[in-house]
Amino acid sequence: MQSTSGNPLLLAHTLQDLLEMDTVKVELIPEKKGLFLKHVEYEVSSQRLKSSVYRRFSDFVVFHEVLLQRFPYRMVPALPPKKVLGDREFIESRRRALKRFVNLVARHPFFMDDTVVKIFLTFSGSDLQTKLRESFKGIGDEFLTCPLAKQAKDYLPADIQGQFAASRELIRNVYNSFYKLRDRAERMASRSVDNASDLLIFGKELSALGSDSTPLPPWTSVANNAWVALKQALKGLSVEFALLADKAAQQGKREAGDVVEKLNLFLDLLQSYKDLCERHEKGILNEHQRALQKYSLMKRQMMTAAVQSKEAVSVEQLESRIVQQENAIQTMELRNYFSLYCLHQETQLIHVYLQLTSHILGAFVNSQIQGHKEMSGVWNDLKPKLNCLSVGPNGMPSPPLTPQQADWQNTPASFFSS
């Protein structure tokens, strides 16, 4: 773990450092993709560890539980909801969520080299879940293994509580804003998919119109040749509209994969920070408070026993329990400082990940440029073919419209509605 100025509390990682720590792929196993089975298996591949293993969702659940036990004072991303059976959309959504989870874990500077993480990413035995639990029992949580845990107080700034409160408020505001950005990005991706569907249907309707075989009445014989030529031209346009639909669908995939997924990754990280703050307040702080209350009760019992001159054995037992409680309180105080120490480092990681904003905006802009460029190319190829729609009674193309004749294209819409 890198630090600055010789202070282990301060981290020196850049966003690029974090992103390059590892890339983990999570894919459905093709031959067991059975979407109607109760169990869906995933192939989890780590680039850094050059490993590839098979995992079920229950393996991820146990891995998550052990991570929380091993690193109670760090950001452990949440898992997607459990569901026994699901449709294709749910299963794909869960696969993406699991991929985000394991990549955030594999790129965490305090997790990446931990035994528990390496077991999950490399162990190929049949008893993975037992292996994970036994590994934690043999190691203990981070407080017991970190050489600086008992000196954490010495590295904390004097106003650590104020800094923690300010950071928590900032992250809350950032989360709310990015949640809204993700919502808008999802809507845009959905609109691109809907646009693809509409364009495809539009082209099919033109083709259907061009394929209409209803005979014309006799009095239209003069225009018969023109209508036959016009139908032929309409059928040809369906190819371009199918291509437009394909480009719009690709645009939707880019927006979902390049923009929405990056936003979801950052939101998962921000949510893990919020969860960590809650664990800090509801966990170690509450335990410390309860331990102090218990200690106070023991002291009162000791005073009562001394005043009432109870048996020496009873007094000695109380004294022993008080000493044990004092030790427990001291350990809890050390854990509280270590929790704040970890929180301070996790806050720094959040600020490093804030630079993802530029990556997200870059992906958003690039996807729009590419999408509009591709769509524009197809529209420009289609435009000259519209000349085929202008046919005379003899079925031959009509001469191009003069600028004055074509000027109706620029006529205000109110003219047609009057």
Side-chain angles (χ1 to χ4, degrees):
M1 186 69 213
Q2 294 177 329
S3 63
T4 60
S5 304
N7 185 348
L9 179 66
L10 304 179
L11 310 183
H13 288 287
T14 65
L15 178 61
Q16 197 62 32
D17 293 335
L18 298 177
L19 297 179
E20 291 178 354
M21 284 181 177
D22 200 354
T23 297
V24 183
K25 295 181 179 180
V26 177
E27 302 292 345
L28 287 169
I29 299 177
E31 65 271 17
K32 295 185 179 180
K33 209 171 184 176
L35 303 182
F36 299 103
L37 298 177
K38 289 187 177 181
H39 300 291
V40 177
E41 285 193 297
Y42 306 90
E43 182 177 7
V44 181
S45 305
S46 167
Q47 186 179 79
R48 182 175 74 95
L49 299 175
K50 296 179 174 57
S51 61
S52 181
V53 292
Y54 293 163
R55 297 289 181 254
R56 288 184 175 180
F57 184 73
S58 59
D59 297 328
F60 280 91
V61 172
V62 173
F63 178 47
H64 181 261
E65 292 173 354
V66 174
L67 271 179
L68 281 173
Q69 294 172 338
R70 175 81 178 101
F71 298 99
Y73 314 124
R74 301 285 181 185
M75 294 185 295
V76 178
L79 286 178
K82 183 177 182 180
K83 191 175 180 181
V84 177
L85 292 175
D87 55 20
R88 291 178 181 272
E89 185 177 351
F90 167 79
I91 291 177
E92 173 58 20
S93 175
R94 188 168 73 174
R95 182 198 67 79
R96 292 195 301 267
L98 291 174
K99 180 181 176 181
R100 296 194 302 269
F101 160 77
V102 74
N103 272 283
L104 285 173
V105 170
R107 293 168 179 170
H108 193 293
F110 292 98
F111 297 171
M112 59 178 292
D113 287 323
D114 191 74
T115 302
V116 170
V117 175
K118 287 184 176 179
I119 289 174
F120 181 79
L121 292 176
T122 62
F123 184 70
S124 58
S126 59
D127 55 343
L128 169 69
Q129 298 179 18
T130 301
K131 184 80 171 178
L132 287 170
R133 291 189 173 105
E134 289 180 347
S135 174
F136 167 71
K137 290 179 181 178
I139 301 173
D141 71 5
E142 188 185 12
F143 176 78
L144 298 176
T145 59
C146 178
L148 299 175
K150 295 182 179 180
Q151 289 81 43
K153 180 181 179 181
D154 300 333
Y155 297 103
L156 294 174
D159 60 339
I160 183 62
Q161 294 291 356
Q163 289 186 25
F164 167 59
S167 295
R168 189 174 187 180
E169 179 66 15
L170 171 64
I171 300 308
R172 186 185 70 83
N173 294 336
V174 170
Y175 178 89
N176 291 338
S177 293
F178 270 85
Y179 186 89
K180 294 175 183 177
L181 288 172
R182 193 275 311 273
D183 181 62
R184 294 297 119 179
E186 283 184 334
R187 288 165 63 91
M188 293 177 68
S190 178
R191 283 199 297 271
S192 293
V193 174
D194 291 341
N195 188 34
S197 177
D198 291 339
L199 285 166
L200 188 61
I201 293 174
F202 195 96
K204 287 181 177 179
E205 288 302 322
L206 289 178
S207 180
L209 184 61
S211 302
D212 185 85
S213 59
T214 305
L216 294 173
W219 54 268
T220 61
S221 58
V222 176
N224 190 34
N225 290 337
W227 176 236
V228 170
L230 182 61
K231 288 198 299 180
Q232 189 63 31
L234 289 174
K235 287 175 64 177
L237 294 180
S238 64
V239 176
E240 276 71 24
F241 277 94
L243 185 56
L244 284 168
D246 181 63
K247 297 299 183 184
Q250 292 179 27
Q251 174 67 6
K253 289 182 179 179
R254 279 193 297 268
E255 290 169 342
D258 297 343
V259 182
V260 175
E261 270 305 288
K262 286 183 172 66
L263 286 166
N264 277 328
L265 178 78
F266 192 40
L267 283 173
D268 288 349
L269 183 71
L270 294 173
Q271 182 61 55
S272 69
Y273 183 85
K274 293 170 65 179
D275 294 342
L276 173 60
C277 292
E278 290 186 9
R279 288 203 304 273
H280 173 74
E281 292 188 336
K282 295 180 179 179
I284 190 66
L285 292 182
N286 279 349
E287 290 175 4
H288 189 203
Q289 187 63 31
R290 287 195 297 269
L292 288 174
Q293 292 173 351
K294 184 176 180 180
Y295 177 74
S296 178
L297 177 60
M298 288 180 179
K299 293 291 285 185
R300 288 198 298 270
Q301 291 175 342
M302 183 66 180
M303 292 176 63
T304 301
V307 170
Q308 296 179 354
S309 301
K310 291 191 174 182
E311 296 181 3
V313 175
S314 176
V315 174
E316 288 178 0
Q317 289 176 344
L318 276 173
E319 288 178 343
S320 176
R321 290 171 56 194
I322 288 174
V323 170
Q324 292 177 0
Q325 191 64 12
E326 287 174 344
N327 293 334
I329 290 172
Q330 184 180 13
T331 299
M332 288 181 186
E333 288 176 347
L334 292 175
R335 281 186 172 273
N336 180 48
Y337 286 121
F338 184 64
S339 177
L340 288 170
Y341 176 93
C342 295
L343 259 173
H344 197 282
Q345 291 181 325
E346 300 301 279
T347 304
Q348 293 175 63
L349 284 179
I350 288 289
H351 282 272
V352 173
Y353 267 106
L354 277 172
Q355 298 169 34
L356 265 180
T357 304
S358 62
H359 289 244
I360 295 169
L361 290 177
F364 174 70
V365 172
N366 289 336
S367 71
Q368 296 303 311
I369 291 174
Q370 184 174 351
H372 286 295
K373 183 178 180 180
E374 292 178 354
M375 294 285 284
S376 176
V378 180
W379 284 118
N380 285 327
D381 290 342
L382 183 148
K383 186 175 181 180
K385 297 184 179 182
L386 298 182
N387 293 332
C388 298
L389 300 181
S390 300
V391 295
N394 58 357
M396 300 299 292
S398 296
L401 296 177
T402 65
Q404 291 76 17
Q405 291 172 324
D407 193 51
W408 65 271
Q409 298 181 46
N410 299 319
T411 303
S414 58
F415 173 83
F416 298 99
S417 59
S418 60

